[in-house]
Amino acid sequence: MAVGLAITSEGGHYNGKITPFLVLSCMMAAMGGVIFGYDIGISGGVTSMESFLKKFFPEVFTRMKEDTKISNYCKFDSQLLTSFTSSLYVAGLFASFFASSVTRTFGRMPSILVGGAAFLAGAALGGAASNVYMLIFGRVLLGVGVGFANQSVPLYLSEMAPPKYRGAINNGFQFSIGIGALSANLINFGTEKIKAGWGWRISLAMAAVPASILTLGAFFLPETPNSLIQRSNDHQKAKLILQRVRGTDDVQAELDDLIKASSISKTIENPFKKILQTRYRPQLVMAIAIPFFQQVTGINVIAFYAPILFRTIGLGESASLLSAVMTGIVGASSTFVSMLVVDKLGRRALFTIGGIQMFISQVLVGGIMAGQLGDHGGIGKGSAYSVLVLICVYVAGFGWSWGPLGWLVPSEIFPLEIRSAGQSITVAVSFVFTFIVAQTFLAMLCHFRAGIFFFFGGWVVVMTVFMYLLLPETKNVPIEQMDRVWREHWFWKRLVGEVSGDEDD
């Protein structure tokens, strides 16, 4: 039975309700986010476990335990250790470009299925690893899964969602990432207590649970109406899916918009070449800027390395993992808040509020660490807990702004003809900078020391001003009528307005 939430959009009247069929489809697809979050959270936890370090990275373990001369900030600085974390993102980068053509040619569902299968294989290899090469190859397979899932899942959610609730439903992807990361932190906290020292195997292998759900679920998930129309002329099948998803027979207005968008998209042979045209400049700028800014917020520093960071300031192994659980709870809760308010407050307001909150907390953390944590010894208990609280404030700021919106905004701004190409660029840029941050952070921590927080804080100021000035509000705008927000924007209308009447520019 459909829940009676009527949907009307500003650009045209789209009828529909939030139906159980829609909710179930989106929950299943969002499992891709759970696995991504799990992979992020799990690597930070296992790399702070002494049994894991002793087996795969003995030089880091020795340095942590025995080297009294080395700086607090440099104990974990190892290129091999960071390559364990970041190999996932290199694989994801290459996979996302293959994923684009799979998503466009075969549909959103096959892309999600390939992602789930790769996740399963990667989890099995990670859990059974007997040497560092098996470990890293397992991460590479997980990266292939992440590349396919991050390309297809946000598109799937945006295309299935009614315009009025697109923000809330798409933010479900980031909420799933938060749930995945929190699950990883809880599992790490439990498995670290296994005295025999093989707990990390359980941590790595448990990624198979959400991967199995995603892979099996992909066989039953419906394709999006947008994709059905784009890949075939079977408008009747698309109409039936649309009626089922919207919970009403009156879907003609929305179907007409989808058919119109598809007829334009079918004239495009090379979407990657097309997206370079002047009329798509705003979307291209956002496809590059948003994922770049999302990485230089510094969030992945917290996500990957929270337990290591908490050990750096003097907390023990178990306390560090428990602290990571707390930040995981804060992250998931704040993303849930974002789901409730994003379609009321809008995207721009959340970017601004979150940016200010993140900047203030980063500067305060940097100040405490600069004043209290030298190269040797720890910091006082009070200061350590102050850092923990401030990091929670920072994670909350990210959780209702750049976390979910970094996936939502790019997935909703592209016209159908360049949508899979645009999403691939977004995912690829995200992977490039995630890799760079993951690969360099421990070395940066060693050299910048507490200044690392001021470095990321500076970027937060830049991105908050950028989004305030250059992002038009997209809440409640139907996805196939999104081009008008750029034509009405004070800055972008000069570019888009000049060519909007010329279809073949």
Side-chain angles (χ1 to χ4, degrees):
M1 199 180 107
V3 181
L5 290 169
I7 295 156
T8 37
S9 67
E10 293 167 14
H13 186 86
Y14 289 177
N15 293 308
K17 303 164 185 170
I18 296 284
T19 60
F21 181 69
L22 170 71
V23 172
L24 196 63
S25 301
C26 291
M27 280 174 66
M28 192 67 77
M31 272 293 152
V34 174
I35 309 171
F36 185 34
Y38 189 86
D39 290 335
I40 290 172
I42 218 70
S43 59
V46 295
T47 51
S48 75
M49 288 185 195
E50 293 178 5
S51 57
F52 178 83
L53 290 173
K54 195 188 288 186
K55 183 171 178 62
F56 296 108
F57 307 98
E59 78 289 352
V60 178
F61 178 73
T62 306
R63 202 185 305 157
M64 184 177 80
K65 282 295 184 190
E66 295 163 19
D67 194 337
T68 54
K69 293 195 180 79
I70 196 159
S71 165
N72 275 320
Y73 293 102
C74 301
K75 283 178 182 175
F76 294 93
D77 182 15
S78 157
Q79 285 303 303
L80 191 60
L81 182 61
T82 50
S83 65
F84 163 69
T85 297
S86 57
S87 55
L88 186 149
Y89 302 97
V90 180
L93 168 63
F94 289 108
S96 64
F97 286 108
F98 287 107
S100 170
S101 51
V102 171
T103 305
R104 182 177 165 86
T105 310
F106 300 104
R108 281 54 169 153
M109 291 326 307
S111 195
I112 292 175
L113 183 62
V114 172
F119 280 131
L120 270 175
L125 259 181
S130 58
N131 58 53
V132 77
Y133 302 106
M134 270 183 84
L135 198 65
I136 289 176
F137 187 56
R139 291 287 288 175
V140 166
L141 284 174
L142 289 171
V144 172
V146 168
F148 273 85
N150 284 14
Q151 213 280 337
S152 48
V153 171
L155 282 188
Y156 185 87
L157 296 175
S158 275
E159 289 180 347
M160 291 294 269
K164 194 175 179 185
Y165 301 103
R166 189 176 58 246
I169 287 173
N170 196 285
N171 280 10
F173 181 65
Q174 178 65 28
F175 180 62
S176 301
I177 293 175
I179 292 293
L182 175 59
S183 305
N185 291 331
L186 285 166
I187 288 166
N188 280 336
F189 181 63
T191 58
E192 177 265 329
K193 293 181 166 27
I194 295 172
K195 292 283 186 282
W198 47 264
W200 57 268
R201 289 193 185 278
I202 296 176
S203 294
L204 294 177
M206 285 289 282
V209 176
S212 303
I213 297 170
L214 182 71
T215 309
L216 292 171
F219 286 107
F220 303 101
L221 280 177
E223 190 53 84
T224 69
N226 314 55
S227 180
L228 284 171
I229 292 168
Q230 187 183 27
R231 290 181 298 109
S232 71
N233 285 319
D234 192 351
H235 296 170
Q236 190 55 36
K237 187 177 179 185
K239 186 175 183 178
L240 289 172
I241 290 282
L242 199 57
Q243 287 172 338
R244 198 171 170 201
V245 169
R246 298 287 179 257
T248 176
D249 290 337
D250 185 12
V251 294
Q252 197 59 46
E254 187 170 1
L255 186 69
D256 290 344
D257 275 352
L258 297 182
I259 293 169
K260 183 180 168 189
S262 177
S263 63
I264 295 169
S265 81
K266 282 177 182 171
T267 64
I268 312 304
E269 286 180 18
N270 188 338
F272 284 100
K273 188 177 172 189
K274 188 78 177 173
I275 202 172
L276 298 175
Q277 293 182 359
T278 311
R279 85 161 75 107
Y280 302 120
R281 194 60 42 80
Q283 290 95 328
L284 181 61
V285 168
M286 292 298 167
I288 295 168
I290 289 176
F292 165 70
F293 284 144
Q294 192 184 37
Q295 296 317 311
V296 294
T297 54
I299 188 61
N300 279 336
V301 170
I302 307 299
F304 298 146
Y305 300 117
I308 291 177
L309 194 64
F310 293 134
R311 292 204 76 168
T312 297
I313 61 172
L315 296 175
E317 184 178 6
S318 191
S320 295
L321 291 171
L322 184 59
S323 302
V325 170
M326 288 172 61
T327 58
I329 292 169
V330 170
S333 305
S334 57
T335 305
F336 185 71
V337 171
S338 178
M339 288 172 68
L340 300 178
V341 300
V342 66
D343 291 313
K344 295 185 181 73
L345 294 181
R347 284 65 163 152
R348 283 159 50 87
L350 288 178
F351 272 127
T352 307
I353 295 163
I356 293 167
Q357 186 175 337
M358 287 156 66
F359 172 71
I360 292 169
S361 50
Q362 277 173 315
V363 168
L364 290 173
V365 168
I368 291 172
M369 286 178 69
Q372 303 261 339
L373 184 64
D375 284 336
H376 304 285
I379 64 176
K381 267 281 185 331
S383 298
Y385 289 121
S386 299
V387 167
L388 178 57
V389 169
L390 286 167
I391 284 178
C392 286
V393 172
Y394 164 80
V395 167
F398 180 85
W400 49 57
S401 62
W402 277 94
L405 302 183
W407 294 107
L408 166 63
V409 174
S411 73
E412 68 183 0
I413 60 174
F414 301 115
L416 185 62
E417 63 267 23
I418 57 162
R419 192 169 296 154
S420 63
Q423 185 68 10
S424 273
I425 291 169
T426 300
V427 172
V429 171
S430 179
F431 281 137
V432 167
F433 287 101
T434 305
F435 170 73
I436 291 170
V437 170
Q439 195 65 32
T440 58
F441 169 67
L442 292 177
M444 285 170 71
L445 182 65
C446 183
H447 292 99
F448 282 24
R449 291 170 164 68
I452 189 116
F453 289 96
F454 300 116
F455 171 79
F456 288 121
W459 277 113
V460 170
V461 173
V462 172
M463 67 187 73
T464 304
V465 172
F466 178 92
M467 300 310 280
Y468 182 77
L469 294 176
L470 296 178
L471 181 72
E473 185 53 70
T474 57
K475 71 172 181 179
N476 297 344
V477 180
I479 198 166
E480 303 305 354
Q481 297 177 15
M482 196 62 74
D483 60 330
R484 79 161 191 261
V485 301
W486 305 104
R487 288 203 300 270
E488 293 166 3
H489 187 267
W490 71 273
F491 179 81
W492 297 117
K493 68 181 178 186
R494 282 176 282 180
L495 284 174
V496 182
E498 290 167 13
V499 293
S500 61
D502 181 6
E503 283 296 322
D504 301 308
D505 175 49

